[in-house]
């Protein structure tokens, strides 16, 4: 467990406050009452500088738009995306840059239901099929897909289970990196139908 210093407590407090603010933003989004229009006026106002307080690491899925889901304006949220939020080198390097240079205190790993990347990995594991176009991604997602299939009797929604395993795996991967020390990393799931973001625990 990291040493609790005044600085680390302040950093944790900042991250927790940021997270609460993002979940409030999600509440506005779900209620159909967004605060921000993200139009050209807002873009111009934000143009001189950026001070994002959090990063969202999410999937490339075209139905998942972090700025909308958390009702954030230009300059507030740094978004890193890879299919199935696979934490490969460029993605992690981007988050490390955000922590070191932009001072973010929070990373939200955001999975979503009906994830195509997870679906492709499940299909590949089940059918033992091989497609050079998806091989890299399937390899990266092989572990959660095969674990979800092995646990199908306890967790019948295999796709949802695999996605949640991948969120937890990504959170654990980022959480143990010394380069991201002091940054709070949490996992969450976005519901495509309702727009609701729900935090998930680590286990
Ligand atoms: Zn996805």
């Amino acid at each position: 467990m990291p040493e609790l210093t005044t600085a680390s407590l302040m950093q944790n407090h900042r991250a927790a406050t940021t997270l609460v603010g993002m979940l409030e933003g999600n509440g506005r989004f779900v209620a159909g009452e967004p605060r921000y229009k993200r139009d050209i006026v807002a873009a111009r106002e934000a143009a001189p500088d950026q001070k994002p307080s959090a990063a969202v690491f999410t999937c490339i899925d075209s139905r998942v738009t972090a700025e909308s889901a958390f009702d954030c304006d230009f300059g507030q949220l740094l978004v890193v995306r890879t299919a199935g939020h696979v934490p490969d080198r460029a993605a992690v390097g981007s988050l490390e840059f955000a922590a070191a240079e932009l001072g973010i205190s929070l990373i939200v790993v955001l999975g979503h239901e009906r994830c195509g990347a997870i679906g492709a990995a499940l299909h590949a594991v089940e059918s033992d099929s091989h497609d050079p176009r998806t091989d890299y991604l399937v390899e990266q997602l092989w572990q959660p897909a095969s674990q979800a299939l092995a646990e199908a009797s306890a967790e019948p929604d295999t796709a949802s289970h695999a996605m949640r395993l991948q969120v937890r795996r990504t959170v654990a991967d980022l959480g143990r990196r010394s380069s991201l020390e002091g940054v709070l990393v949490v996992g969450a799931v976005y519901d495509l139908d309702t727009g609701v973001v729900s935090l998930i625990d680590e286990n």
Side-chain angles (χ1 to χ4, degrees):
M1 187 173 171
E3 192 187 348
L4 284 177
T5 61
T6 306
S8 71
L9 281 172
M10 290 295 288
Q11 179 80 348
N12 263 330
H13 181 257
R14 194 160 77 88
T17 306
T18 300
L19 181 59
V20 169
M22 288 171 71
L23 295 175
E24 285 172 354
N26 179 242
R28 293 193 300 274
F29 170 66
V30 170
E33 297 168 352
R35 177 182 295 167
Y36 302 111
K37 286 163 65 181
R38 289 188 299 278
D39 59 8
I40 187 60
V41 177
R44 279 201 206 104
E45 278 175 11
D49 199 9
Q50 63 163 336
K51 286 193 178 56
S53 48
V56 174
F57 182 26
T58 189
C59 182
I60 60 169
D61 194 292
S62 62
R63 299 164 293 181
V64 180
T65 306
E67 291 87 344
S68 293
F70 292 108
D71 187 29
C72 285
D73 208 354
F74 293 105
Q76 294 180 349
L77 209 59
L78 190 144
V79 184
V80 177
R81 305 178 71 145
T82 64
H85 38 88
V86 166
D88 58 14
R89 195 65 197 99
V92 174
S94 301
L95 293 166
E96 289 170 338
F97 174 78
E101 297 293 326
L102 301 172
I104 58 154
S105 60
L106 170 71
I107 298 170
V108 178
V109 177
L110 185 65
H112 69 98
E113 304 291 352
R114 304 197 287 279
C115 178
I118 298 281
L122 285 166
H123 174 72
V125 174
E126 262 182 320
S127 62
D128 201 20
S129 59
H130 174 78
D131 180 342
R133 296 169 301 177
T134 55
D135 270 357
Y136 172 77
L137 209 56
V138 164
E139 188 186 316
Q140 301 300 312
L141 295 168
W142 191 272
Q143 196 281 328
S146 53
Q147 185 179 337
L149 287 168
E151 294 172 352
S153 55
E155 300 278 356
D157 189 341
T158 311
S160 179
H161 185 42
M163 178 270 292
R164 283 158 201 273
L165 288 170
Q166 174 60 6
V167 170
R168 292 190 178 101
R169 200 161 157 256
T170 307
V171 168
D173 179 297
L174 299 176
R176 62 175 167 260
R177 289 174 185 266
S178 57
S179 55
L180 293 172
E181 201 177 331
V183 177
L184 180 66
V185 185
V186 299
V189 172
Y190 176 72
D191 187 311
L192 293 173
D193 302 304
T194 64
V196 171
V197 172
S198 309
L199 295 179
I200 61 173
D201 61 29
E202 288 172 21
N203 302 305

